[in-house]
Amino acid sequence: MKPRKYLKVYKKFLHTSLASEFEYKTNILIDLITAILSLIGSIFLLSIFFQDTSTIGGWEFEQALIIQGIYTILNGITNTWFNPNLTEIVKHIREGTLDFVLLKPIDSQFYISLKKINPSGFLEIMLGFCLLLYCIKINQINLNLGFLALSLITIMCSICILYSLWFFISTTTIWFVKTWNATEVLRSFLYIGRFPLNSFSFSLRIFFSVFIPIAFITTIPSEVFLGLSQLWKILLEGAVTIVFLTTSRKFWLFALKFYSSASS
């Protein structure tokens, strides 16, 4: 894989998507209002849980807002890249256009994962970062280079794990087209990521750490922000990220062996 070549291709993807979306400028304002209202609603819902108690699972409301901020960023990334692209896999398979993707002189996974961009998701990402900046202030978190680097690494790991889950489920549509609905189930589970993992029972904590790794997606990065995360958890998140990325890649290549070309 040649990085310069793929960077140039991605710039073309970005330019095409932005040019298409900015034809309807009113939609940008509507998306911004929607994102703000959605964030306000999520914070209000979170505040209801803290109405009769000062802590949930050892987390105060101000600390739990960090989880909400990270969740908002990840949801924005999902709406920007994952949802617009990975939903197209079903269409490619159903209409036989995956043939054209496989014939292109670039990696098929790269093309399928990054061809489209929904700019409205950027608004949600920015709101998430604004909320994190506010949380840094109210929680009196000391900023330093080590903190920023570790926070960025754990958030990047969360993005990679989330992408791998989406891509893994999307790949199964090569065999079962209707399994795309499973991504909606995944999104429903990810809504739980807005709350501290310790607020759930022991059995649910195990489930959300092993089967649907919400603990690695939102809780560990939040603990890093607060200086509560242990080194072994951070290393484990890195290991899980590598496993998920590698597995999703190999699973895609394996699934392509079973893809029946539209011309066959």
Side-chain angles (χ1 to χ4, degrees):
M1 180 181 291
K2 298 178 180 179
R4 287 186 178 180
K5 172 186 174 182
Y6 281 86
L7 181 60
K8 186 176 181 180
V9 171
Y10 183 70
K11 286 181 179 179
K12 293 290 185 181
F13 289 165
L14 184 62
H15 179 267
T16 303
S17 296
L18 292 178
S20 175
E21 290 294 331
F22 280 114
E23 288 182 1
Y24 308 96
K25 295 181 176 62
T26 306
N27 289 348
I28 299 175
L29 178 60
I30 295 174
D31 290 334
L32 176 60
I33 295 173
T34 302
I36 293 174
L37 292 177
S38 177
L39 180 58
I40 292 174
S42 297
I43 294 175
F44 176 73
L45 178 62
L46 185 64
S47 67
I48 292 177
F49 286 92
F50 284 90
Q51 196 168 22
D52 298 320
T53 181
S54 59
T55 61
I56 295 180
W59 290 69
E60 298 177 356
F61 176 72
E62 292 78 7
Q63 295 174 326
L65 282 177
I66 296 176
I67 298 179
Q68 179 63 54
I70 292 175
Y71 171 84
T72 302
I73 293 172
L74 295 176
N75 196 55
I77 289 172
T78 297
N79 292 330
T80 303
W81 284 283
F82 303 165
N83 196 45
N85 289 291
L86 300 184
T87 53
E88 291 290 301
I89 294 181
V90 176
K91 181 180 177 181
H92 283 310
I93 294 172
R94 185 179 297 160
E95 298 179 1
T97 53
L98 185 59
D99 294 13
F100 301 111
V101 175
L102 297 176
L103 289 173
K104 294 183 183 297
I106 58 173
D107 184 79
S108 57
Q109 184 175 348
F110 172 85
Y111 183 90
I112 282 180
S113 301
L114 297 173
K115 184 178 184 294
K116 292 184 178 181
I117 296 169
N118 180 11
S120 63
F122 286 125
L123 302 173
E124 199 168 0
I125 294 171
M126 288 189 292
L127 287 174
F129 275 111
C130 289
L131 180 57
L132 284 183
L133 290 175
Y134 173 72
C135 290
I136 289 173
K137 180 180 179 180
I138 62 175
N139 287 286
Q140 298 180 341
I141 298 173
N142 294 322
L143 295 177
N144 56 65
L145 188 60
F147 164 79
L148 293 174
L150 203 55
S151 299
L152 182 61
I153 289 172
T154 51
I155 290 177
M156 288 300 297
C157 286
S158 298
I159 295 171
C160 291
I161 293 173
L162 184 58
Y163 164 76
S164 298
L165 285 170
W166 267 77
F167 192 71
F168 185 88
I169 294 175
S170 302
T171 301
T172 61
T173 58
I174 288 180
W175 293 284
F176 315 104
V177 176
K178 292 186 178 180
T179 57
W180 175 247
N181 294 327
T183 57
E184 294 304 317
V185 177
L186 174 61
R187 295 196 74 159
S188 299
F189 276 121
L190 292 176
Y191 290 147
I192 300 172
R194 295 179 295 178
F195 306 100
L197 187 67
N198 293 338
S199 62
F200 300 103
S201 64
F202 177 76
S203 58
L204 285 177
R205 290 202 300 270
I206 294 296
F207 178 79
F208 291 131
S209 297
V210 178
F211 299 101
I212 307 292
I214 292 176
F216 299 105
I217 294 175
T218 56
T219 301
I220 291 180
S222 301
E223 290 177 346
V224 168
F225 261 81
L226 294 169
L228 302 175
S229 185
Q230 297 170 303
L231 180 60
W232 70 269
K233 287 185 179 181
I234 299 173
L235 294 176
L236 182 60
E237 183 180 22
V240 169
T241 301
I242 294 173
V243 170
F244 269 67
L245 284 175
T246 304
T247 303
S248 63
R249 172 65 176 178
K250 290 186 176 180
F251 186 65
W252 170 250
L253 297 176
F254 172 76
L256 288 179
K257 296 178 181 179
F258 295 87
Y259 171 67
S260 298
S261 172
S263 59
S264 61

